[in-house]
Amino acid sequence: ESHMADVSACLITKTDTNPFFVKMREGAQQAAEEMGITLNAYAGNVDGDHETQVDAIETCIANGASGILITASDTSAIVSAVTQARDAGLLVIALDTPLNPIDAADATFATDNFLAGELIGQWAAAKLGEEAANAKIAMLDLGVSQPSVDVLRDQGFLTGFGIDTKDPNKWGDEDDPRIVGNDVTAGNEEGGRTAMENLLAKDPEINVVYTINEPAAAGAYEALKSFGRENDVLIVSVDGGCPGVANVADGIIGATSQQYPLEMAKLGVEAIAQYAEDGTLPENTEGKDFYDTGVKLVTDEPVDGVDSISVEEGQELCWG
Amino acid sequence: MPTDTDHYETSVRERRAEAVAEFADHKPSPLQRVQHALHVTPALVPLIVLLASIVVFGALLGSRFFSPFALTLILQQVQIVGIVAAAQSLVILTAGIDLSVGAIMVLSSVVMGQFTFRYGIPGPVAVACGLAVGTACGFLNGWLVARMKLPPFIVTLGTWQIFLATNYLYSANETIRAQDIEATAPILQFFGAKFSIGGAVFTVGVVFMITLILGLGWVLRHTAWGRHVYALGDDAEAAQLSGVDVKRTLISVYMLSGLICAFAGWALIGRIGSVSPTSGYDANIESITAVVIGGISLFGGRGSIMGSLFGALIVGVFSLGLRLLGADAQWTYFFIGVLIIAAVAVDQWIRKVSA
Amino acid sequence: MPTDTDHYETSVRERRAEAVAEFADHKPSPLQRVQHALHVTPALVPLIVLLASIVVFGALLGSRFFSPFALTLILQQVQIVGIVAAAQSLVILTAGIDLSVGAIMVLSSVVMGQFTFRYGIPGPVAVACGLAVGTACGFLNGWLVARMKLPPFIVTLGTWQIFLATNYLYSANETIRAQDIEATAPILQFFGAKFSIGGAVFTVGVVFMITLILGLGWVLRHTAWGRHVYALGDDAEAAQLSGVDVKRTLISVYMLSGLICAFAGWALIGRIGSVSPTSGYDANIESITAVVIGGISLFGGRGSIMGSLFGALIVGVFSLGLRLLGADAQWTYFFIGVLIIAAVAVDQWIRKVSA
Amino acid sequence: MSIGQKREPILTGRNLVKRYGKVVALDHCDFDLYPGEILAVIGDNGAGKSTLIKALSGAVIPDAGEVRLEGKPVHFTSPNDARHAGIETVYQTLAMSPALSITDNMFMGREMRKPGFRGKWLRQLDRPAMEKFARDKLNDLGLMTIQNINQAVETLSGGQRQGVAVARAAAFGSRVIILDEPTAALGVKESRRVLELILDVRSRGIPIILISHNMPHVFELADRVHVHRLGKRLCVIDPKNHSMSDAVAYMTGAKVPETEFETA
Amino acid sequence: MSIGQKREPILTGRNLVKRYGKVVALDHCDFDLYPGEILAVIGDNGAGKSTLIKALSGAVIPDAGEVRLEGKPVHFTSPNDARHAGIETVYQTLAMSPALSITDNMFMGREMRKPGFRGKWLRQLDRPAMEKFARDKLNDLGLMTIQNINQAVETLSGGQRQGVAVARAAAFGSRVIILDEPTAALGVKESRRVLELILDVRSRGIPIILISHNMPHVFELADRVHVHRLGKRLCVIDPKNHSMSDAVAYMTGAKVPETEFETA
Ligand SMILES: Nc1ncnc2c1ncn2[C@@H]1O[C@H](COP(=O)(O)OP(=O)(O)OP(=O)(O)O)[C@@H](O)[C@H]1O
Ligand SMILES: Nc1ncnc2c1ncn2[C@@H]1O[C@H](COP(=O)(O)OP(=O)(O)OP(=O)(O)O)[C@@H](O)[C@H]1O
Ligand SMILES: OC[C@H]1O[C@](O)(CO)[C@@H](O)[C@@H]1O
Ligand SMILES: [Mg+2]
Ligand SMILES: [Mg+2]
């Protein structure tokens, strides 16, 4: 459609190295091509790089974009810049990571991150059975600024596992003795490995590892391997990228909550196109304050009471 | 005391030059005249580069770039680095370097925020406290450099870590939300206040940055303190002997630098709306980059503070221009890297021939 | 040529000292003897600090810390910084600095990975290509410093950005998965191979780091090239006049530094299993920190490369020790900051009195 | 000029001590300068000459001992203190900032401020006044024709620099002028120019302390010669009654003087 | 020593030119050194003396002109080239690395390697051999009793350093030894020691080029005096037939020589 040619959208991700965001970008690019609109993609240098995202938002405003898709690194701090964009008439959609407050964006297309955490928590608890009472858990979180996605997954996991989360808006304030400790990973391999090592040194008997995402899980696995613990520790994660699902197949990760970034990207681009055409705003999922793009637990060792799909099914749905 | 001997060496060289000058050819070529002009006006090279890059991106991008809106957006995007670069310039003029600028900036902004929200101190008082903390950090740097005679690079490498750790520990990594600040202590966001003239949008922070740099330029040129800063950067031993209180001047420079960084922290709240202890991580490298591209010598005593404003703007023009072109952000870094090396190579060339 | 005059100055001072020594009291106090010992063995201070911190954390944490397991874990955690610090030490011994070490490391590791997976080149060849790229980056730095006579700080500030941008642009930000590497080109993970002796776990990377530093220590002490590196760092002009090919030696130092960084890139793949273009962001500052704590003078020509190993280990001991104590990670940075300043203050003290 | 032992000295040092670590640079040193005279200070390298004049000019604070100016004890803690008291020094290294202008250098540490608000509150320099003063002083001394009083010192020749340094001292030094090796490393012609400058200053009645290794210069100019050895004054000799080789013999310890004031 | 104009010179320079930007440091300069002689080179500051000897010793590559050693043209591109040809230089700045040992400094740039595998492949230095050689050479010259041949040069006194520099030159200089202002900034006693050293080296038959501003030293030691002015050789004089003031008058242009070889 020719009238779409001057419509443009922006995609701003946390980094452009995490395969999740690489896929998200590809998905958005493809959707944009199909719709006949222009897409400009920007990213922070590292997970947590807030200023670069602000600069990118401003660039999108200057560029006369119709809307912005953003996975925010600092979910509170980004709000001012987002408000500025909305005031300038742009549609702002949070992808993957809700803003704080969530209604600072016009819409949010995301995994239900709390549910994603809860699923792997429930699965891990059921997997251990009786032993869950004596578990030794390592929590590999994202970053010290505790962005919403970080808190939701962590607290979801603990809830699913049956641990009191104290303040649900904050990780690290729990006092359950089963938690060996929290450490941050920046959501990448290097951080995952060092954090895992630190926690192992604290307590070599760790047998459950929660990880914020699959790159961090991969790093944690390297650490466990170097300590000869790769076979007797349960790693759970979130993402469901093809490499991650392959890791589940290989028994490296016990279970992972699969997200659908291509869906987020596609929906986001479509929503912007729609908005540019007639000003329609996207709707939320029934009963939620965001549009839930869905989450499925991927494992080959299903447990009672927790819905899951097989690795084979997971591989069909996976991305990257 | 390398400065002592540098001076000696220079004077010996000068003397030699004179004795031989008698039989050397003296008519300057046009190229030499250009070099001379560049030598006496150190901010000229970055200014030319700045204008050239605006013209090039303007040609490539048309009105998307060459509009009051986009051009003033650049000002907004460089304001933090620009303010910090002013602080960095002062320190570098004394032949020092300050790696802790970013940490002082964030720590000060966190103090402003936490004092308001944790202790319920009124906004203006909290801001004053933040400015005082920045100045105190600068004092610590200055004291270690001037009194303990430790190398600035190492001192500020150390205090960088110390201030940043203090910032995280004190703030408990807590972001203070823009909405809360707006409700309780809007003065914290003062530097973010906007006004527009035509399509051009200015913020208080941008006005502050420009005023600050013009003001510092004036002070450096028209007050005794300013002359002393240049003198001690040029040759600390000579300055001391000719009556400059080197230690006091040095400490005052680091304190002023700390204060300016605290203002940058205030401006940072205005820019991002919230108080975020994780911001400004790269401010030290970015400010040094601006200063270097701006033509201030890392060896001290030479260069104009206007240059670092131009340096910061050049980086801003490249960043926005390339982003608008849809180029991968990495190209910006690539070109900035090339620009840094080119800037110092040109500088070397100017010095060599006009020496 | 400040080195020239430094030399002049030193020789004049020495002469003066002699003339007056005749009527000065010469018996050294015990304190002076300690200072002398520290002066002639520059790695002694960091070694003492290292041992002391192991003892303190051992006392606080008992066997959790004071076990072969935990102690060798520290070695694993510092291996990358340790290897990069070896490269950094060489450059700093020549009175230079290399801000691009981290960028060279990542770029090399990405080349190793992409050459294998994008072009299907066999692992060992791809590794060799990665090592060659690292060396070439070092050559560019060395050429700009030695031939173009640009200041190392600025050159490597520029190439840092250039190499890092190249890395991102070339890799298209693609991470290569550990399992794929294991299947296709396990040699890329060679440095991660581990073996244990008792509870102590060693990796090839750790062994490489230690061998590298011992080897470089030997080369610096027992070959002409090593003596030339010290000589030119001490006084480049004097070294040139007394027959050292300063430019060639300088370039060779930067090339070797690049090569070592490429090895660090290889070791990085071993450590994180995968090839990730975002790793090693802080390697430059961490390596400089290790070198400074290790007692190598930023002014060149003085210090022992063993010192930087100790420096890296001190940082590692503090990081793990404080984590195990349950302290916030930020305390590590705080103490490292204090340590940096303390290290240089002690260094200054040693020089002053034994001068 | 007579060797005025009976007159009151203008500047004296008594029992001055200065240690640098294990080095004793001044070892209970005495010193006297009389009005209107050129006093040369000679001595071997490292004998402590520069340290002595630094102690007299506030650049070094002695560990012990007393300095008196016109009979009154003074305690200089910086070169500026001595300057305010009218003692000006041209140091061995000239102490100029190469990148700054002649005017800036002449006024370094004692800049003039504009009158009124701009001076008091903005602390603005009074450039025109400073420039005029600098130009006048250079002319007064018949020094040289410097084109542009605002040119950077680094663009001057060595001789011109030395001239500016001496002019600075002469312009502000109302009581005593101290010159540390003003001709070292200078060519023959340029040395001559500086020597004439010194005589010129003396003819205006200001006493001068001249440190030099150059015996012919010392014997040509000085009224009295203070011989410094091993951190203290060995003796003071009259150049008219002593040969250069005597002086060198004293300096090096080859010959021992009978009394401190050989010529008194 | 006779002024051997008839003998073949050992080292000659013809029409040497060296420009630094707009400064012409060597302006078609000629130079001759004869076997066994001490040739002094004198001239005002900046006349180009140091540049001349740098051109002869490979530290500077002349823009034009020719250098011949024993009649054969040579093209030195680094100090090491000149060294290999047997020309050793003690530069004005001594050119030593303060933090390194006496041995390291003596062998800088021409280190000895261990025989066999360790030398060839590991490139290991032969420290014992180097130390023995260094000690022998210092003793040979009856130089001084240095306790520890491995002590850092920065721990030596100025006189000792100068000694080491001269010893290095004497040890390796088989054809020519060049000394640039070896006594500048040295005390009287120490200067004397260095002068004796020079005579000592000459007595072993090696010709010496001596640059100095110190006329008494020049006239005491030199067989011939090369007067350098404005970048070239103005004349060569015999110190036995000329006074110091003649020499200074030539140097400064106050007097013009009749022929280039006044004494030839
Ligand atoms: N700042 C200092 N720190 C340490 N030692 C010093 C310092 N200044 C001077 N000395 C020492 O004090 C002694 C006296 O030095 P001083 O400069 O006064 O000698 P001088 O007679 O002026 O020598 P010269 O003729 O070489 O100028 C020397 O041994 C010198 O090394
Ligand atoms: N590396 C250089 N770069 C630029 N100019 C130089 C260089 N070396 C020497 N010159 C210039 O060449 C001229 C001759 O210098 P040279 O050192 O040869 O003089 P000299 O006769 O040895 O003087 P002195 O007696 O002071 O040692 C001087 O004008 C000097 O400034
Ligand atoms: O770093 C955290 C980020 O990583 C992901 O899990 C993808 O790997 C995202 O969903 C999340 O925002
Ligand atoms: Mg002196
Ligand atoms: Mg010379």
Side-chain angles (χ1 to χ4, degrees), chain B residues 73-142:
Chain B
L73 178 58
I74 294 174
L75 282 170
Q76 288 177 47
Q77 293 189 335
V78 304
Q79 63 177 303
I80 305 296
V81 172
I83 296 171
V84 175
Q88 188 70 261
S89 307
L90 287 176
V91 172
I92 289 183
L93 277 176
T94 68
I97 196 158
D98 192 345
L99 299 176
S100 70
V101 283
I104 297 180
M105 170 177 84
V106 190
L107 178 59
S108 308
S109 80
V110 161
V111 165
M112 295 177 193
Q114 295 292 342
F115 273 38
T116 313
F117 288 85
R118 197 182 295 177
Y119 313 131
I121 292 174
V125 179
V127 167
C129 292
L131 298 178
V133 165
T135 314
C137 291
F139 173 77
L140 178 61
N141 283 335

Side-chain angles (χ1 to χ4, degrees), chain B residues 7 18 221-222 228 234 242, chain D residues 93 96 99 111 125 127 190:
Chain B
H7 184 91
E18 188 217 31
R221 178 161 286 279
H222 291 289
H228 294 183
D234 207 4
S242 59
Chain D
T93 51
M96 299 224 231
E111 292 81 0
L125 297 178
R127 285 202 177 276
E190 293 171 324

Side-chain angles (χ1 to χ4, degrees), chain B residues 73 101 117 120 159 178 186 204 264 298 302 305 339 354:
Chain B
L73 178 58
V101 283
F117 288 85
T159 56
V204 173
L298 283 185
R302 281 137 209 268
I305 198 163
L339 218 60
S354 75

Side-chain angles (χ1 to χ4, degrees), chain D residues 72 92 96 99 113 147 152 165 167 183 209 212 232 248 259 261:
Chain D
K72 284 181 282 300
Q92 215 165 343
M96 299 224 231
R113 289 209 216 124
Q147 307 279 322
T183 58
I209 306 172
S212 180
K232 58 183 145 206
V248 170
T259 59
F261 294 95

